[in-house]
Short mmCIF file of all heavy atoms in Angstrom, two decimals:
data_model
loop_
_atom_site.label_atom_id
_atom_site.label_comp_id
_atom_site.label_asym_id
_atom_site.label_seq_id
_atom_site.Cartn_x
_atom_site.Cartn_y
_atom_site.Cartn_z
N GLU A 22 0.82 -1.22 0.00
CA GLU A 22 0.00 0.00 0.00
C GLU A 22 0.86 1.27 0.00
O GLU A 22 0.45 2.30 -0.51
CB GLU A 22 -0.93 0.01 1.22
CG GLU A 22 -2.03 -1.02 1.19
CD GLU A 22 -1.58 -2.36 1.72
OE1 GLU A 22 -0.35 -2.54 1.95
OE2 GLU A 22 -2.43 -3.23 1.91
N PHE A 23 2.03 1.15 0.59
CA PHE A 23 2.96 2.29 0.64
C PHE A 23 3.30 2.75 -0.77
O PHE A 23 3.25 3.93 -1.11
CB PHE A 23 4.20 1.88 1.41
CG PHE A 23 5.32 2.90 1.38
CD1 PHE A 23 5.28 4.01 2.20
CD2 PHE A 23 6.41 2.73 0.54
CE1 PHE A 23 6.31 4.94 2.19
CE2 PHE A 23 7.44 3.67 0.52
CZ PHE A 23 7.38 4.77 1.35
N PHE A 24 3.63 1.79 -1.64
CA PHE A 24 4.01 2.11 -3.02
C PHE A 24 2.79 2.54 -3.84
O PHE A 24 2.88 3.41 -4.70
CB PHE A 24 4.71 0.91 -3.66
CG PHE A 24 6.02 0.57 -3.02
CD1 PHE A 24 6.10 -0.40 -2.03
CD2 PHE A 24 7.18 1.23 -3.38
CE1 PHE A 24 7.31 -0.71 -1.42
CE2 PHE A 24 8.39 0.93 -2.79
CZ PHE A 24 8.46 -0.04 -1.80
N GLU A 25 1.66 1.88 -3.59
CA GLU A 25 0.44 2.22 -4.33
C GLU A 25 0.03 3.67 -4.07
O GLU A 25 -0.37 4.39 -5.00
CB GLU A 25 -0.69 1.26 -3.93
CG GLU A 25 -0.50 -0.14 -4.46
CD GLU A 25 -1.57 -1.10 -3.93
OE1 GLU A 25 -2.40 -0.65 -3.10
OE2 GLU A 25 -1.56 -2.27 -4.33
N HIS A 26 0.12 4.07 -2.82
CA HIS A 26 -0.27 5.44 -2.47
C HIS A 26 0.61 6.48 -3.17
O HIS A 26 0.15 7.53 -3.57
CB HIS A 26 -0.20 5.64 -0.96
CG HIS A 26 -0.60 7.03 -0.54
ND1 HIS A 26 -1.91 7.41 -0.37
CD2 HIS A 26 0.15 8.12 -0.27
CE1 HIS A 26 -1.96 8.68 -0.02
NE2 HIS A 26 -0.72 9.14 0.05
N LEU A 27 1.88 6.12 -3.30
CA LEU A 27 2.84 7.05 -3.92
C LEU A 27 2.94 6.84 -5.43
O LEU A 27 3.77 7.49 -6.08
CB LEU A 27 4.21 6.89 -3.28
CG LEU A 27 4.31 7.30 -1.81
CD1 LEU A 27 5.66 6.90 -1.24
CD2 LEU A 27 4.12 8.81 -1.65
N ASP A 28 2.11 5.96 -5.97
CA ASP A 28 2.12 5.68 -7.41
C ASP A 28 3.50 5.21 -7.86
O ASP A 28 4.07 5.70 -8.85
CB ASP A 28 1.68 6.93 -8.19
CG ASP A 28 1.31 6.61 -9.63
OD1 ASP A 28 0.95 5.44 -9.89
OD2 ASP A 28 1.39 7.52 -10.48
N MET A 29 4.05 4.26 -7.09
CA MET A 29 5.38 3.71 -7.38
C MET A 29 5.25 2.20 -7.53
O MET A 29 4.41 1.58 -6.86
CB MET A 29 6.36 4.04 -6.24
CG MET A 29 6.67 5.52 -6.08
SD MET A 29 7.56 5.83 -4.53
CE MET A 29 9.07 4.90 -4.79
N PRO A 30 6.09 1.59 -8.36
CA PRO A 30 6.06 0.12 -8.47
C PRO A 30 6.56 -0.53 -7.19
O PRO A 30 7.49 -0.04 -6.55
CB PRO A 30 7.00 -0.16 -9.65
CG PRO A 30 7.90 1.04 -9.72
CD PRO A 30 7.07 2.20 -9.26
N PHE A 31 5.95 -1.62 -6.83
CA PHE A 31 6.36 -2.35 -5.63
C PHE A 31 7.72 -2.98 -5.85
O PHE A 31 7.97 -3.63 -6.86
CB PHE A 31 5.32 -3.43 -5.30
CG PHE A 31 5.64 -4.22 -4.08
CD1 PHE A 31 5.65 -3.63 -2.83
CD2 PHE A 31 5.96 -5.57 -4.17
CE1 PHE A 31 5.95 -4.35 -1.68
CE2 PHE A 31 6.26 -6.31 -3.05
CZ PHE A 31 6.25 -5.70 -1.80
N ARG A 32 8.63 -2.79 -4.91
CA ARG A 32 9.99 -3.31 -5.06
C ARG A 32 10.70 -3.28 -3.71
O ARG A 32 10.17 -2.74 -2.73
CB ARG A 32 10.79 -2.46 -6.06
CG ARG A 32 10.93 -1.01 -5.65
CD ARG A 32 11.68 -0.21 -6.70
NE ARG A 32 11.76 1.20 -6.38
CZ ARG A 32 12.63 1.75 -5.53
NH1 ARG A 32 13.50 0.98 -4.91
NH2 ARG A 32 12.63 3.05 -5.31
N ALA A 33 11.89 -3.83 -3.66
CA ALA A 33 12.72 -3.73 -2.46
C ALA A 33 13.18 -2.28 -2.30
O ALA A 33 13.50 -1.61 -3.28
CB ALA A 33 13.92 -4.66 -2.58
N PHE A 34 13.18 -1.81 -1.08
CA PHE A 34 13.52 -0.41 -0.81
C PHE A 34 14.56 -0.38 0.30
O PHE A 34 14.27 -0.67 1.45
CB PHE A 34 12.26 0.34 -0.37
CG PHE A 34 12.32 1.83 -0.54
CD1 PHE A 34 12.21 2.41 -1.80
CD2 PHE A 34 12.47 2.66 0.55
CE1 PHE A 34 12.25 3.78 -1.96
CE2 PHE A 34 12.51 4.03 0.40
CZ PHE A 34 12.40 4.60 -0.85
N THR A 35 15.82 -0.04 -0.05
CA THR A 35 16.90 -0.11 0.94
C THR A 35 16.86 1.09 1.88
O THR A 35 16.28 2.13 1.58
CB THR A 35 18.27 -0.13 0.24
OG1 THR A 35 18.47 1.14 -0.39
CG2 THR A 35 18.35 -1.25 -0.78
N LEU A 36 17.51 0.91 3.01
CA LEU A 36 17.60 2.02 3.97
C LEU A 36 18.42 3.16 3.39
O LEU A 36 18.20 4.33 3.71
CB LEU A 36 18.21 1.54 5.28
CG LEU A 36 18.22 2.56 6.42
CD1 LEU A 36 16.81 3.02 6.75
CD2 LEU A 36 18.89 1.98 7.66
N GLN A 37 19.36 2.82 2.50
CA GLN A 37 20.13 3.86 1.82
C GLN A 37 19.20 4.75 1.00
O GLN A 37 19.28 5.98 1.03
CB GLN A 37 21.19 3.23 0.91
CG GLN A 37 22.01 4.21 0.10
CD GLN A 37 22.96 5.02 0.97
OE1 GLN A 37 23.44 4.52 1.99
NE2 GLN A 37 23.22 6.26 0.58
N GLU A 38 18.26 4.11 0.28
CA GLU A 38 17.28 4.89 -0.50
C GLU A 38 16.39 5.70 0.43
O GLU A 38 16.02 6.83 0.13
CB GLU A 38 16.43 3.95 -1.36
CG GLU A 38 17.18 3.32 -2.51
CD GLU A 38 16.29 2.37 -3.28
OE1 GLU A 38 16.02 1.26 -2.76
OE2 GLU A 38 15.86 2.73 -4.40
N MET A 39 16.03 5.06 1.54
CA MET A 39 15.20 5.77 2.53
C MET A 39 15.92 7.02 3.02
O MET A 39 15.34 8.11 3.10
CB MET A 39 14.92 4.83 3.71
CG MET A 39 14.16 5.45 4.85
SD MET A 39 12.45 5.78 4.44
CE MET A 39 11.93 6.60 5.96
N ALA A 40 17.21 6.88 3.32
CA ALA A 40 17.99 8.02 3.82
C ALA A 40 18.07 9.13 2.77
O ALA A 40 17.96 10.31 3.08
CB ALA A 40 19.39 7.57 4.22
N GLU A 41 18.25 8.72 1.49
CA GLU A 41 18.36 9.70 0.42
C GLU A 41 17.03 10.41 0.15
O GLU A 41 17.00 11.54 -0.35
CB GLU A 41 18.85 9.02 -0.86
CG GLU A 41 20.31 8.59 -0.77
CD GLU A 41 20.75 7.74 -1.95
OE1 GLU A 41 19.89 7.43 -2.81
OE2 GLU A 41 21.94 7.38 -2.01
N ALA A 42 15.92 9.75 0.50
CA ALA A 42 14.61 10.37 0.31
C ALA A 42 14.30 11.42 1.36
O ALA A 42 13.45 12.29 1.16
CB ALA A 42 13.52 9.30 0.34
N ILE A 43 15.02 11.37 2.49
CA ILE A 43 14.79 12.33 3.59
C ILE A 43 15.46 13.66 3.25
O ILE A 43 16.57 13.70 2.70
CB ILE A 43 15.34 11.77 4.92
CG1 ILE A 43 14.61 10.48 5.29
CG2 ILE A 43 15.21 12.79 6.04
CD1 ILE A 43 15.23 9.74 6.46
N HIS A 44 14.81 14.73 3.57
CA HIS A 44 15.36 16.07 3.32
C HIS A 44 16.74 16.20 3.98
O HIS A 44 16.91 15.77 5.14
CB HIS A 44 14.41 17.13 3.88
CG HIS A 44 14.69 18.52 3.40
ND1 HIS A 44 15.76 19.26 3.85
CD2 HIS A 44 14.04 19.30 2.49
CE1 HIS A 44 15.76 20.44 3.25
NE2 HIS A 44 14.72 20.49 2.43
N PRO A 45 17.72 16.77 3.29
CA PRO A 45 19.08 16.86 3.86
C PRO A 45 19.12 17.52 5.24
O PRO A 45 19.95 17.13 6.08
CB PRO A 45 19.83 17.73 2.82
CG PRO A 45 19.11 17.48 1.55
CD PRO A 45 17.66 17.28 1.91
N GLU A 46 18.24 18.49 5.49
CA GLU A 46 18.25 19.17 6.79
C GLU A 46 17.73 18.27 7.91
O GLU A 46 18.01 18.51 9.08
CB GLU A 46 17.41 20.44 6.73
CG GLU A 46 17.99 21.52 5.83
CD GLU A 46 17.10 22.75 5.76
OE1 GLU A 46 16.07 22.79 6.48
OE2 GLU A 46 17.42 23.66 4.98
N ASP A 47 16.97 17.23 7.57
CA ASP A 47 16.37 16.34 8.58
C ASP A 47 17.10 15.01 8.70
O ASP A 47 16.89 14.26 9.66
CB ASP A 47 14.90 16.05 8.22
CG ASP A 47 14.08 17.32 8.06
OD1 ASP A 47 14.44 18.33 8.69
OD2 ASP A 47 13.09 17.30 7.30
N ARG A 48 17.95 14.69 7.73
CA ARG A 48 18.49 13.33 7.59
C ARG A 48 19.28 12.87 8.82
O ARG A 48 19.06 11.76 9.34
CB ARG A 48 19.39 13.28 6.35
CG ARG A 48 19.78 11.87 5.93
CD ARG A 48 20.48 11.93 4.59
NE ARG A 48 19.61 12.45 3.54
CZ ARG A 48 20.03 13.12 2.48
NH1 ARG A 48 21.32 13.37 2.33
NH2 ARG A 48 19.17 13.55 1.57
N VAL A 49 20.18 13.69 9.31
CA VAL A 49 21.03 13.28 10.43
C VAL A 49 20.19 12.98 11.66
O VAL A 49 20.38 11.97 12.35
CB VAL A 49 22.08 14.37 10.75
CG1 VAL A 49 22.83 14.03 12.03
CG2 VAL A 49 23.07 14.50 9.60
N ASP A 50 19.23 13.84 11.93
CA ASP A 50 18.38 13.66 13.11
C ASP A 50 17.58 12.36 13.02
O ASP A 50 17.48 11.60 13.99
CB ASP A 50 17.42 14.85 13.25
CG ASP A 50 16.53 14.74 14.47
OD1 ASP A 50 17.08 14.60 15.58
OD2 ASP A 50 15.29 14.78 14.31
N VAL A 51 17.02 12.08 11.83
CA VAL A 51 16.22 10.86 11.65
C VAL A 51 17.08 9.62 11.84
O VAL A 51 16.70 8.68 12.56
CB VAL A 51 15.56 10.85 10.25
CG1 VAL A 51 14.89 9.50 10.00
CG2 VAL A 51 14.54 11.97 10.15
N LEU A 52 18.24 9.59 11.20
CA LEU A 52 19.11 8.41 11.31
C LEU A 52 19.62 8.22 12.73
O LEU A 52 19.76 7.09 13.21
CB LEU A 52 20.27 8.52 10.32
CG LEU A 52 19.86 8.43 8.84
CD1 LEU A 52 21.07 8.63 7.94
CD2 LEU A 52 19.19 7.10 8.53
N ASN A 53 19.89 9.32 13.41
CA ASN A 53 20.33 9.22 14.81
C ASN A 53 19.26 8.59 15.68
O ASN A 53 19.54 7.73 16.52
CB ASN A 53 20.70 10.60 15.36
CG ASN A 53 22.07 11.06 14.89
OD1 ASN A 53 22.87 10.25 14.43
ND2 ASN A 53 22.33 12.35 14.99
N THR A 54 18.01 9.01 15.49
CA THR A 54 16.93 8.43 16.30
C THR A 54 16.73 6.95 15.95
O THR A 54 16.48 6.13 16.83
CB THR A 54 15.60 9.18 16.08
OG1 THR A 54 15.24 9.16 14.70
CG2 THR A 54 15.71 10.62 16.54
N PHE A 55 16.88 6.62 14.67
CA PHE A 55 16.73 5.22 14.26
C PHE A 55 17.79 4.34 14.91
O PHE A 55 17.48 3.30 15.50
CB PHE A 55 16.81 5.11 12.74
CG PHE A 55 16.93 3.69 12.26
CD1 PHE A 55 15.85 2.84 12.29
CD2 PHE A 55 18.15 3.21 11.80
CE1 PHE A 55 15.96 1.52 11.87
CE2 PHE A 55 18.27 1.90 11.39
CZ PHE A 55 17.18 1.04 11.41
N TYR A 56 19.06 4.76 14.83
CA TYR A 56 20.12 3.93 15.38
C TYR A 56 20.10 3.92 16.91
O TYR A 56 20.55 2.95 17.53
CB TYR A 56 21.48 4.38 14.84
CG TYR A 56 21.72 3.88 13.44
CD1 TYR A 56 21.77 4.75 12.36
CD2 TYR A 56 21.85 2.51 13.19
CE1 TYR A 56 21.95 4.28 11.08
CE2 TYR A 56 22.04 2.03 11.90
CZ TYR A 56 22.09 2.93 10.85
OH TYR A 56 22.26 2.45 9.57
N HIS A 57 19.56 4.97 17.49
CA HIS A 57 19.40 4.96 18.95
C HIS A 57 18.45 3.84 19.35
O HIS A 57 18.72 3.07 20.28
CB HIS A 57 18.84 6.31 19.42
CG HIS A 57 18.45 6.31 20.88
ND1 HIS A 57 19.38 6.37 21.89
CD2 HIS A 57 17.21 6.24 21.47
CE1 HIS A 57 18.74 6.32 23.05
NE2 HIS A 57 17.43 6.26 22.83
N VAL A 58 17.33 3.69 18.64
CA VAL A 58 16.38 2.62 18.93
C VAL A 58 16.97 1.26 18.59
O VAL A 58 16.82 0.28 19.33
CB VAL A 58 15.06 2.84 18.15
CG1 VAL A 58 14.13 1.64 18.29
CG2 VAL A 58 14.36 4.09 18.65
N LYS A 59 17.67 1.20 17.47
CA LYS A 59 18.27 -0.07 17.03
C LYS A 59 19.22 -0.63 18.08
O LYS A 59 19.31 -1.84 18.29
CB LYS A 59 19.01 0.16 15.72
CG LYS A 59 19.70 -1.08 15.14
CD LYS A 59 20.34 -0.73 13.82
CE LYS A 59 21.06 -1.94 13.22
NZ LYS A 59 22.21 -2.37 14.02
N ASN A 60 19.93 0.26 18.77
CA ASN A 60 20.94 -0.18 19.74
C ASN A 60 20.42 -0.22 21.18
O ASN A 60 21.19 -0.50 22.09
CB ASN A 60 22.16 0.74 19.66
CG ASN A 60 22.86 0.64 18.32
OD1 ASN A 60 23.03 -0.46 17.78
ND2 ASN A 60 23.24 1.77 17.76
N GLN A 61 19.16 0.08 21.36
CA GLN A 61 18.59 0.09 22.71
C GLN A 61 17.39 -0.85 22.77
O GLN A 61 16.30 -0.50 22.33
CB GLN A 61 18.15 1.51 23.10
CG GLN A 61 19.27 2.52 23.19
CD GLN A 61 20.15 2.26 24.41
OE1 GLN A 61 19.70 1.79 25.43
NE2 GLN A 61 21.43 2.57 24.27
N PRO A 62 17.56 -2.08 23.29
CA PRO A 62 16.42 -3.00 23.41
C PRO A 62 15.28 -2.39 24.22
O PRO A 62 15.51 -1.60 25.14
CB PRO A 62 17.02 -4.21 24.14
CG PRO A 62 18.48 -4.12 23.89
CD PRO A 62 18.80 -2.66 23.79
N ASP A 63 14.07 -2.74 23.83
CA ASP A 63 12.86 -2.27 24.53
C ASP A 63 12.73 -0.75 24.51
O ASP A 63 12.19 -0.16 25.45
CB ASP A 63 12.85 -2.76 25.99
CG ASP A 63 12.87 -4.28 26.07
OD1 ASP A 63 12.16 -4.92 25.27
OD2 ASP A 63 13.62 -4.81 26.91
N SER A 64 13.23 -0.12 23.47
CA SER A 64 13.13 1.35 23.39
C SER A 64 12.22 1.74 22.23
O SER A 64 11.94 0.94 21.34
CB SER A 64 14.50 1.98 23.19
OG SER A 64 15.06 1.57 21.96
N LYS A 65 11.76 2.97 22.27
CA LYS A 65 10.93 3.50 21.19
C LYS A 65 11.13 5.01 21.10
O LYS A 65 11.52 5.66 22.08
CB LYS A 65 9.45 3.18 21.44
CG LYS A 65 8.89 3.77 22.72
CD LYS A 65 7.44 3.35 22.89
CE LYS A 65 6.87 3.93 24.20
NZ LYS A 65 5.45 3.53 24.39
N THR A 66 10.88 5.55 19.94
CA THR A 66 10.99 7.00 19.76
C THR A 66 10.21 7.40 18.51
O THR A 66 9.72 6.53 17.78
CB THR A 66 12.46 7.44 19.62
OG1 THR A 66 12.54 8.86 19.69
CG2 THR A 66 13.05 6.99 18.29
#
């Protein structure tokens, strides 16, 4: 549904592509929060 909503073909979507899709001014903050959760069991943000 994610791809359908955006009118994109369904395919594998890497985190690298995800990072490149994020606005440059927001990218560092988003990745920092992601890796904070990834390295902290039972955490959320």
Side-chain angles (χ1 to χ4, degrees):
E22 291 86 350
F23 172 79
F24 295 95
E25 289 175 356
H26 180 83
L27 294 171
D28 196 24
M29 294 169 63
F31 180 66
R32 60 182 177 81
F34 201 75
T35 67
L36 187 59
Q37 178 70 31
E38 289 178 286
M39 176 71 184
E41 289 172 356
I43 298 171
H44 194 286
E46 292 178 5
D47 304 332
R48 192 172 298 151
V49 172
D50 181 56
V51 172
L52 292 177
N53 282 343
T54 58
F55 169 74
Y56 282 112
H57 171 75
V58 172
K59 179 178 179 294
N60 296 318
Q61 296 289 328
D63 300 318
S64 64
K65 60 182 179 180
T66 190

